[in-house]
Amino acid sequence: MKKTSTRLADGRELIYYDSRDDAVRDAVDRRPLDPISTTSEIRRDPLLGDAVAIASHRQGRTYHPPADECPLCPSQDDRLSEVPDSSYDVVVFENRFPSLAGDAGRCEVVCFTSDHDSSFADLTEEQAGLVLDAWTDRTAELSHLPSVQQVFCFENRGAEIGVTLGHPHGQIYAYPFVTPRTSLMLGSLAAHKESTGRNLFDDVVAEESAGERVVLETEHWVAFVPHAAHWPYEVHLYPKRRVADLLGLDEAARTEFPKVYLELLRRFDRIFGEEGQLTPYIAAWHQAPFGALDEHEGVNRDDFALHLELFTIRRTSGKLKFLAGSESGMSVFINDVPPEAAAQRLREVASS
């Protein structure tokens, strides 16, 4: 992998990740952009104890542009985009409309391919491996920023999810705090360790690996629908050797990941049997925080288990799972699809 860092016209960082070591990336951003200005602010909810990012500048972000005006495609002649070069393998840049910025963290965009009409599932194993390299490199770099305590790599796909740009891409959020969801995991991890002396993640993976909800298993990875899945179709993907973050993956797991992950994504697109209809999903990497874990006594970073959670809000063909009163008002999910049935369906649509 070759990494080339440059700056856009408004000062934001852009990084090319190339599979070829001889790739030259010297294109200049020719757009007349003003220096980036954001109003990102973190506010604490005194009742729930969580954080809310207030980012009013995002109201003006690009919204469903036509394909020939896509800001994530490579620049061509007089059609200038966020990517100055006329082609790329994988590119990462600071979001022009970030939810988090400055002392309040950082947001980046990850473009998986220059092909506007494809998706992650269409990538080759080599391309998917390069995306994994980019995620890993950005996790390492962002973890060194003074304000950052947690790095979150994720992909939203589909208009149903709320995606406003159709080009295949994901994002990375570098939070200045430990997120509420991770705090809940750490609390459960600490309680389990105190009561049993064992690691909760290890016990969960061992139990699921021996059960009926396994979707896919290889030498270094296992994917299953969890016992208490929140979403209609939800898969958790774990490396069999517990590591705290993407940096901890060994070469064998890294080499095997693209094949495993691409197979899962392709199965998601076959769940509902709709030819040419892509299943909307969220793919979320959970990594150990880089900040202090003082409030969770007895737990350290090495106790956390890196894993990816992949889920769709579609519950059946043409019907979505909405977060209504119970989910939005009380954070109590109601799942219409039994996890065992979801796992069975995801096994049925395996590649031949």
Side-chain angles (χ1 to χ4, degrees):
M1 178 191 76
K2 182 179 180 181
K3 174 183 174 182
T4 307
S5 179
T6 185
R7 291 282 171 180
L8 296 174
D10 55 9
R12 289 176 293 134
E13 184 178 17
L14 179 143
I15 306 149
Y16 295 98
Y17 292 90
D18 287 287
S19 56
R20 292 173 43 208
D21 291 335
D22 60 349
V24 176
R25 299 297 184 185
D26 56 5
V28 176
D29 185 5
R30 295 180 283 122
R31 296 173 298 170
L33 298 180
D34 294 327
I36 195 70
S37 176
T38 65
T39 57
S40 183
E41 175 190 357
I42 302 297
R43 296 186 182 180
R44 291 281 176 180
D45 184 320
L47 297 182
L48 299 180
D50 60 5
V52 177
I54 309 297
S56 60
H57 61 276
R58 285 175 53 79
Q59 286 280 45
R61 66 187 184 274
T62 308
Y63 187 80
H64 293 299
D68 61 356
E69 296 178 15
C70 174
L72 306 185
C73 286
S75 292
Q76 300 290 337
D77 300 323
D78 59 349
R79 186 178 63 79
L80 305 179
S81 74
E82 290 280 70
V83 186
D85 215 327
S86 59
S87 67
Y88 63 82
D89 290 348
V90 174
V91 70
V92 178
F93 58 86
E94 290 183 76
N95 198 322
R96 190 177 179 186
F97 304 97
S99 303
L100 310 166
D103 292 338
R106 175 159 158 154
C107 293
E108 298 182 340
V109 177
V110 184
C111 297
F112 305 137
T113 171
S114 60
D115 184 355
H116 180 87
D117 297 317
S118 68
S119 70
F120 201 118
D122 296 321
L123 301 182
T124 65
E125 290 184 22
E126 181 183 19
Q127 290 174 309
L130 187 59
V131 175
L132 177 62
D133 289 341
W135 283 332
T136 305
D137 180 72
R138 296 315 301 153
T139 296
E141 292 291 329
L142 293 170
S143 70
H144 295 308
L145 296 180
S147 65
V148 171
Q149 292 194 36
Q150 185 171 351
V151 178
F152 176 45
C153 306
F154 65 100
E155 180 192 1
N156 298 325
R157 187 181 77 170
E160 300 94 329
I161 296 293
V163 174
T164 58
L165 296 176
H167 195 105
H169 73 287
Q171 300 180 67
I172 302 175
Y173 276 22
Y175 296 99
F177 51 80
V178 178
T179 63
R181 188 174 177 86
T182 302
S183 291
L184 289 173
M185 290 184 191
L186 292 170
S188 298
L189 183 62
H192 188 81
K193 187 175 183 179
E194 182 179 7
S195 62
T196 69
R198 299 192 305 270
N199 183 280
L200 176 59
F201 287 109
D202 292 350
D203 285 358
V204 167
V205 171
E207 182 176 352
E208 292 287 5
S209 295
E212 61 180 318
R213 290 180 297 275
V214 172
V215 172
L216 176 63
E217 185 173 7
T218 62
E219 183 178 357
H220 302 287
W221 295 87
V222 61
F224 55 83
V225 177
H227 169 73
H230 289 58
W231 300 96
Y233 290 89
E234 175 181 338
V235 173
H236 293 190
L237 175 64
Y238 281 79
K240 289 186 175 179
R241 183 179 70 86
R242 172 164 46 90
V243 295
D245 51 39
L246 289 165
L247 284 73
L249 291 175
D250 60 26
E251 192 58 35
R254 298 182 68 82
T255 299
E256 196 177 64
F257 170 78
K259 182 176 182 179
V260 174
Y261 187 47
L262 290 171
E263 172 62 16
L264 285 177
L265 293 181
R266 290 162 185 168
R267 291 190 193 188
F268 259 59
D269 280 340
R270 292 193 290 265
I271 293 174
F272 304 105
E274 298 171 321
E275 190 67 31
Q277 291 294 314
L278 300 181
T279 298
Y281 66 71
I282 293 174
W285 279 110
H286 292 266
Q287 306 191 77
F290 292 93
L293 304 180
D294 297 342
E295 62 183 282
H296 303 286
E297 188 174 349
V299 171
N300 55 52
R301 288 195 81 248
D302 293 337
D303 291 320
F304 196 88
L306 167 77
H307 63 284
L308 183 140
E309 298 184 7
L310 173 68
F311 58 90
T312 179
I313 62 172
R314 184 175 290 173
R315 54 190 175 89
T316 188
S317 181
K319 296 180 181 179
L320 301 180
K321 166 64 179 177
F322 292 103
L323 300 189
S326 185
E327 292 88 354
S328 295
M330 284 291 150
S331 294
V332 178
F333 275 68
I334 301 169
N335 189 353
D336 301 325
V337 180
E340 294 73 23
Q344 176 62 32
R345 179 57 181 158
L346 286 163
R347 289 192 295 268
E348 290 173 351
V349 295
S351 299
S352 56

